[in-house]
Amino acid sequence: IAEGTIISTSIGANLLITATQQADPKTIIKIDNIQITSSNHLKIGRRIYADSLTPLVFEAKASNAGNHITETKGTVTVSKKDVVLSVQGLLPQNIISKNIRQLLDVNGNKSFVYKPSLTSFGWHKINIIIKSENTNSSNSIEVFIFPAKLIIGLIIAIVLAKNIFKFSSKSVDTNI
């Protein structure tokens, strides 16, 4: 170390302390809103329609309406007719009293991704369940998944083929 050099270090930590007369104080967790953030969806009123050829990306937030800190432990499932198609874990995070926090997947990403199969068709349920020390909370939305790009491409191809056939038959008639 060079002469006149000063080295300084410090260690700090935040402590979240709950003071209560109960061993496990009542917590109130609410999963506020599950929002589809990918561009491959259409929302009409309360109904959501999504394309099955591109991944479905969604986010959610949880709020702690109670007076004590709590932790978000839980799962995100995507199911169709009560058959679970995908399970993703939630990253455990502390939510302080009267606060809202973005839910994260186990890798720390704020977006959850579900990749439907090519043959996915019908209503799918996205369900988020949080289980804390003494409170459970869940919220879900339903999304109708269908191969929208494939159907649109097929309609365009049929219209083009019909027009080409119509024009080619007219040109054959005028040449006779």
Side-chain angles (χ1 to χ4, degrees), residues 79-144:
S79 59
K80 179 181 176 186
K81 295 183 182 176
D82 296 327
V83 175
V84 176
L85 304 173
S86 169
V87 178
Q88 300 176 49
L90 291 175
L91 182 70
Q93 304 178 83
N94 291 319
I95 305 178
I96 344 176
S97 171
K98 312 289 186 216
N99 270 296
I100 298 172
R101 189 133 198 201
Q102 179 79 44
L103 294 176
L104 304 175
D105 71 1
V106 290
N107 298 319
N109 300 315
K110 73 176 190 172
S111 296
F112 297 90
V113 179
Y114 170 65
K115 296 178 182 174
S117 67
L118 184 61
T119 58
S120 290
F121 187 83
W123 289 104
H124 290 65
K125 183 177 183 180
I126 299 171
N127 192 27
I128 299 177
I129 301 170
I130 294 178
K131 295 183 179 184
S132 65
E133 299 82 23
N134 57 3
T135 302
N136 294 336
S137 179
S138 67
N139 194 358
S140 63
I141 61 170
E142 290 196 359
V143 180
F144 188 81

Side-chain angles (χ1 to χ4, degrees), residues 147-163:
K149 290 178 184 172
L150 192 64
I151 291 171
I152 291 170
L154 191 60
I155 290 171
I156 291 172
I158 290 171
V159 168
L160 285 174
K162 200 173 187 181
N163 286 335

